Amino acid sequence: MRHAFSYATALASSEKIRWRVEDVIGGEKRLDFSMPFLPESLARVEPLTFLSPAEQTALNQIRAHEYLSMFGIVEEFILPFVLDHVRPHLSGDDARVRALLQFAGEEAKHIDLFKRFRAEFDQGFGTPCAVIGPADAIGREVLSHDPLAVALVILQIEWMTQRHFEESVRDDRGLDPQFASLLRHHWSEEAQHAKLDTLMVEALAAGRSKDRLLSAVEEYLAIGAFVDQGLATQLELNLASLEAATRRTLTPAERESYRTHQRRAARWTYLGSGMTHPRFVETLEALDPRVAKRVADVAPAFC
Ligand SMILES: [Fe+2]
Ligand SMILES: [Fe+2]
């Protein structure tokens, strides 16, 4: 393996970075609904030229609400997964136990943070935005798979959040500072999670035959397909929210354009940006080049 990640260094970094939910939201720290929330690289509202600038901002914010909800969903299955991974080996490597418990504690904090943002959004946006769910049913389906497949999904999510923050910095033309702060704070802790999850993947893959590695990748792709189905449902829910928020009914041609552009945008946001992250690919390569190739062959559909 090419990386130099360890439980001890991830724990040390995490203890240096640690922030409180109150440092990110509450008091003066409010969302500004006159501004876009998500980086354009993720929201991709600009190609929808039939929407006015205000309508594009509304769609950007609906996508940001989706983002809060999607992270609410994924953090809720990451938390029990990490706890299940640490529970059987509580004696022995103290740094490992502490680093993984810290990881779980941070995900519990992120669940709380995303919920607080969502509550403020619901209050300020003015139009209810429906989301897929319920989160526990989605989590049960994901967790029913091979733990190595689940760990790969989580690793992809951790690296994906790194990319999302980097893109928000690169793309910060008038991005709401409060939403950018959410992405930044999340990024700072997820950087340690990505390292710890790399170690979890290695532990779960140790001693597996090539066939069992390849079967885990098939299950990882099955979870991806399940997420992708959810994104297709969310696309339609977002369309209904957009029409309600803008008091406008899109023409059939406008809907067609909306679906084409937004389908690609959501696939990139939640699947492609993680599947193609160089550090994720590096882990796949280290498992087995055939594993990496299988994912690389599928990835372009999500980019
Ligand atoms: Fe998180
Ligand atoms: Fe995380």
Side-chain angles (χ1 to χ4, degrees):
M1 301 266 165
R2 272 169 284 172
H3 68 76
F5 305 153
S6 76
Y7 293 110
T9 52
L11 177 65
S13 305
S14 151
E15 288 184 329
K16 257 185 265 164
I17 284 160
R18 202 185 301 191
W19 44 261
R20 303 171 312 150
V21 169
E22 295 70 29
D23 300 329
V24 189
I25 187 166
E28 298 288 290
K29 298 181 280 294
R30 304 292 303 270
L31 291 167
D32 179 349
F33 284 87
S34 71
M35 303 176 102
F37 292 172
L38 267 191
E40 174 58 20
S41 54
L42 305 181
R44 300 197 193 169
V45 299
E46 287 171 6
L48 307 181
T49 49
F50 53 87
L51 296 178
S52 69
E55 289 167 339
Q56 288 187 350
T57 300
L59 179 57
N60 178 299
Q61 292 171 354
I62 290 166
R63 291 288 317 287
H65 180 265
E66 163 204 285
Y67 191 90
L68 298 171
S69 311
M70 289 294 288
F71 272 92
I73 289 169
V74 300
E75 312 259 19
E76 279 196 36
F77 70 73
I78 294 174
L79 175 57
F81 183 81
V82 175
L83 288 174
D84 286 350
H85 186 76
V86 69
R87 182 77 179 89
H89 310 284
L90 285 178
S91 57
D93 183 343
D94 294 337
R96 176 183 177 279
V97 172
R98 289 182 60 203
L100 290 175
L101 288 176
Q102 183 100 327
F103 178 174
E106 285 167 359
E107 294 299 22
K109 181 174 70 177
H110 299 171
I111 291 171
D112 186 13
L113 180 72
F114 281 102
K115 270 189 197 152
R116 300 266 295 265
F117 265 82
R118 206 171 138 185
E120 190 186 322
F121 186 102
D122 290 342
Q123 252 187 357
F125 188 65
T127 302
C129 297
V131 287
I132 55 169
D136 57 345
I138 295 173
R140 263 198 310 279
E141 170 61 30
V142 172
L143 292 173
S144 71
H145 286 275
D146 179 335
L148 178 56
V150 180
L152 285 171
V153 168
I154 295 172
L155 184 61
Q156 168 182 324
I157 293 168
E158 312 290 8
W159 284 123
M160 164 182 123
T161 59
Q162 301 301 291
R163 205 165 197 168
H164 292 177
F165 169 66
E166 287 151 17
E167 292 186 355
S168 82
V169 172
R170 202 161 48 219
D171 193 26
D172 77 341
R173 293 159 297 174
L175 210 62
D176 170 45
Q178 177 62 359
F179 207 89
S181 160
L182 168 76
L183 295 175
R184 184 175 68 255
H185 282 87
H186 198 213
W187 160 82
S188 68
E189 291 189 339
E190 295 293 307
Q192 275 60 253
H193 298 181
K195 294 171 188 168
L196 292 170
D197 202 59
T198 302
L199 298 172
M200 292 203 319
V201 164
E202 288 172 6
L204 290 164
R208 285 204 183 210
S209 65
K210 301 288 179 206
D211 283 353
R212 286 190 63 229
L213 288 173
L214 286 168
S215 73
V217 165
E218 292 309 316
E219 289 206 41
Y220 154 84
L221 292 173
I223 297 170
F226 172 69
V227 171
D228 192 45
Q229 267 175 18
L231 296 179
T233 307
Q234 187 61 49
L235 184 82
E236 298 303 319
L237 297 174
N238 289 353
L239 176 59
S241 304
L242 176 67
E243 290 190 329
T246 58
R247 294 183 177 78
R248 163 175 181 183
T249 304
L250 300 190
T251 66
E254 289 166 346
R255 285 176 172 229
E256 182 75 20
S257 170
Y258 163 87
R259 290 192 177 106
T260 304
H261 289 288
Q262 285 294 297
R263 186 90 174 100
R264 284 195 76 180
R267 282 179 153 171
W268 169 254
T269 303
Y270 302 107
L271 295 164
S273 61
M275 286 171 103
T276 60
H277 194 290
R279 302 309 299 266
F280 181 69
V281 172
E282 187 181 295
T283 294
L284 297 179
E285 287 280 356
L287 291 181
D288 189 281
R290 281 176 300 172
V291 164
K293 170 144 187 358
R294 180 75 179 104
V295 176
D297 287 345
V298 173
F302 304 102
C303 294

